[in-house]
Every structure is written in structure tokens, then in C-alpha cells.
């Protein structure tokens, strides 16, 4: 029984040690795998037509309007998250009330 147990432990330890053994593949193969593909790197990127995108700077009034709208949305989300957390905590508060104030 002790011999079987020792054999199992030795095989487990050997398997763990082999996990950290260096690779047996040649270094040239590893270097080839990690090297960038020169054809892919030298390929010329096609020019994408971006003329359909309309871009311009926002005016001060537009920025203030967008900020007010975003602030309103964030406040609404904060209120909803607070309400949701209070609804979830009601059963816990009830159990605490019953535990401390019941006869």
C-alpha cells in the first residue's frame, strides 16, 4: 500500500516538473513562428472611402446641450440603481428587524 502511494505521488510530481521543461523544438522553428510575415507587413493598405462621414466641431451651445442631456441620463441611471438596490435590500432589512425587535 505504501509503495503504491509513493509511486502515485512520484508520478504526480514528475508530471508537474515536466510541465516546466524547456521546449524541445529547435530555436530556428520558434524564430520562424514569431517572425512577422513580410508579405503581410509590406502589403499596401487599400484606401477606404470615408467621404460619407460628416465631421465638424461642436459649438459651445451644442456641447452644453449634450452635457445637460448626458447629466440627466446619468442622474436617472443613478436613481434607478439606488432604487433597485433598496428593493433588493428590503428582505434583509426585514429579517434584521425581526431578529432584533421580535419578542
Amino acid at each position: 500500500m505504501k509503495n503504491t502511494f509513493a509511486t502515485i505521488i512520484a508520478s504526480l510530481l514528475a508530471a508537474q516538473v515536466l510541465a516546466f521543461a524547456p521546449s524541445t523544438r529547435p530555436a530556428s522553428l520558434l524564430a520562424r513562428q514569431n517572425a512577422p510575415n513580410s508579405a503581410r507587413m509590406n502589403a499596401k493598405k487599400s484606401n477606404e472611402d470615408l467621404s460619407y462621414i460628416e465631421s465638424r466641431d461642436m459649438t459651445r451651445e451644442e456641447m452644453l446641450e449634450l452635457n445637460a442631456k448626458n447629466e440627466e441620463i446619468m442622474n436617472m441611471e443613478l436613481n434607478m440603481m439606488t432604487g433597485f438596490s433598496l428593493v433588493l435590500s428590503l428582505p434583509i432589512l426585514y429579517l434584521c428587524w425581526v431578529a432584533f425587535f421580535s419578542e
Side-chain angles (χ1 to χ4, degrees):
M1 180 71 180
K2 287 184 179 181
N3 195 12
T4 307
F5 183 70
T7 305
I8 292 172
I9 296 296
S11 64
L12 288 175
L13 288 175
Q16 290 176 357
V17 170
L18 290 177
F20 298 104
S23 177
T24 58
R25 292 189 291 185
S28 61
L29 180 61
L30 290 174
R32 224 179 309 135
Q33 284 179 338
N34 293 335
N37 188 353
S38 60
R40 185 179 56 200
M41 295 297 288
N42 293 333
K44 186 175 182 180
K45 292 186 179 180
S46 62
N47 291 333
E48 187 177 350
D49 182 23
L50 302 176
S51 62
Y52 63 92
I53 298 175
E54 296 179 14
S55 64
R56 63 176 180 82
D57 291 337
M58 295 175 69
T59 63
R60 179 175 172 81
E61 290 78 23
E62 289 173 333
M63 290 171 77
L64 292 174
E65 180 183 331
L66 182 63
N67 286 344
K69 180 178 155 186
N70 287 342
E71 185 177 0
E72 180 182 331
I73 291 171
M74 287 190 298
N75 285 335
M76 181 186 62
E77 289 175 345
L78 181 63
N79 289 335
M80 295 298 288
M81 288 188 293
T82 304
F84 183 71
S85 66
L86 288 175
V87 166
L88 289 181
S89 64
L90 283 176
I92 297 171
L93 293 175
Y94 172 73
L95 291 175
C96 291
W97 179 269
V98 169
F100 289 116
F101 297 109
S102 65
E103 294 290 328

